[in-house]
Amino acid sequence: MMSNSVIVAGIDCGTNSIRLKIARVDEQGMTDIVPKVLRVVRLGESVDATGRFADGALARVHAAAEEFAQILSEYNVQALRFVATSATRDAENRSVFEDDMEQLLGVRPEVISGLEEARLSYMGAISAFGRDQIQYPALIMDLGGGSTELVLGGDGVDMAVDQVQASYSMNVGSVRMTERHDLYDQPDDANVEAAIADIDEHLDVACTHIPIERTRTFVGVSGTVTTMAALALNLPEYDASRVDGIRLPFAQVEQVDTKFLHMSREQRRAYKAIHPGRVDVVGGGALVLNRVIARVQERVVASGGELNELLISEHGLLDGIVLDLGRRVLRRV
């Protein structure tokens, strides 16, 4: 017999940040018990260049996990899933990280594939919207520190809107591009052009896997996307309630992306809407965002469609992890 609800938790450890969410899941969806707790740990620091986790990065993620363990101990959590993504897939000494997390939290990080990350990101992103808020198919972009997932869902006719039609994970993200092309401080034109060529090459491949031209709603999730949205709105400090669910014209997003890409770190620090842990890499993330927007719009227009705005969502991979876990636990009890 199915229980009415379960309390579950998810941890998402990416290249730049680690996040915790505890929620009650029932047949209708989920309700936060502990809303997203985020700590910027830069686990992926130098991984693109060295192939290994740095000692400092491991120490930072250890401190965050200790804090998460304390939070989890205060609630009757029936299941916990810990997901690790791009940086951990790439690190040859990842067992050091995995052993430490298992000792602290009682579960071993699950290093998921890009395809699984895409599925969960899509589930989390659309869970926050009603059927009348999105025109399908929807394309979800999860722009992380080390990778960017693009996921196209169903159209509600030939395929259910909550099903993934096609997806692709690109090894481009805010941290990876910033480190690889030295985009930290007022990058010169040569570095920006090299980064653009790098991103565009990945997008060329992505377009062979995903029929991007079918997109009717483009949804952006992740810290880079929501940060740039807050800056586009000129918010004095970050406010999730102001950002979540807004629609921004592509031109407005592209303008603010370009502005912050060419700033110095010191100039960016003056903007309180940028988390201190993102100050040095937000420009690289903004460049990725610009290139993806340009490519999606180009493909849609070339096919005779029209697409001019980005729908911003605070919901994504972490929400998908928790919702998916809760549904699986519900089926078992």
Side-chain angles (χ1 to χ4, degrees), residues 241-293:
S241 67
R242 297 279 303 279
V243 169
D244 191 31
I246 67 161
R247 298 173 189 268
L248 292 174
F250 287 157
Q252 186 178 356
V253 178
E254 290 167 346
Q255 183 179 36
V256 76
D257 285 350
T258 301
K259 175 182 176 181
F260 283 86
L261 166 64
H262 292 285
M263 279 187 183
S264 68
R265 275 183 276 199
E266 285 306 311
Q267 289 172 319
R268 293 182 198 134
R269 284 195 181 98
Y271 292 83
K272 302 305 180 186
I274 306 176
H275 188 288
R278 298 190 193 280
V279 164
D280 56 341
V281 299
V282 75
L287 184 59
V288 176
L289 179 55
N290 263 2
R291 300 313 297 170
V292 177
I293 284 175

Side-chain angles (χ1 to χ4, degrees), residues 115-176:
L115 291 177
E116 173 69 354
E117 185 175 353
R119 182 185 74 85
L120 292 170
S121 293
Y122 183 81
M123 178 188 294
I126 69 165
S127 70
F129 298 107
R131 181 66 178 86
D132 59 344
Q133 292 178 278
I134 296 182
Q135 185 179 355
Y136 291 93
L139 178 69
I140 308 299
M141 170 185 56
D142 186 348
L143 200 172
S147 67
T148 296
E149 281 64 49
L150 295 173
V151 197
L152 186 72
D155 60 5
V157 179
D158 296 320
M159 180 182 288
V161 297
D162 60 354
Q163 296 299 304
V164 172
Q165 184 177 157
S167 63
Y168 186 71
S169 179
M170 304 184 293
N171 277 332
V172 296
S174 61
V175 175
R176 195 186 295 269

Side-chain angles (χ1 to χ4, degrees), residues 192-210:
V192 172
E193 290 303 319
I196 287 173
D198 193 355
I199 297 163
D200 286 357
E201 185 176 339
H202 283 85
L203 281 166
D204 290 343
V205 178
C207 288
T208 68
H209 291 267
I210 308 172

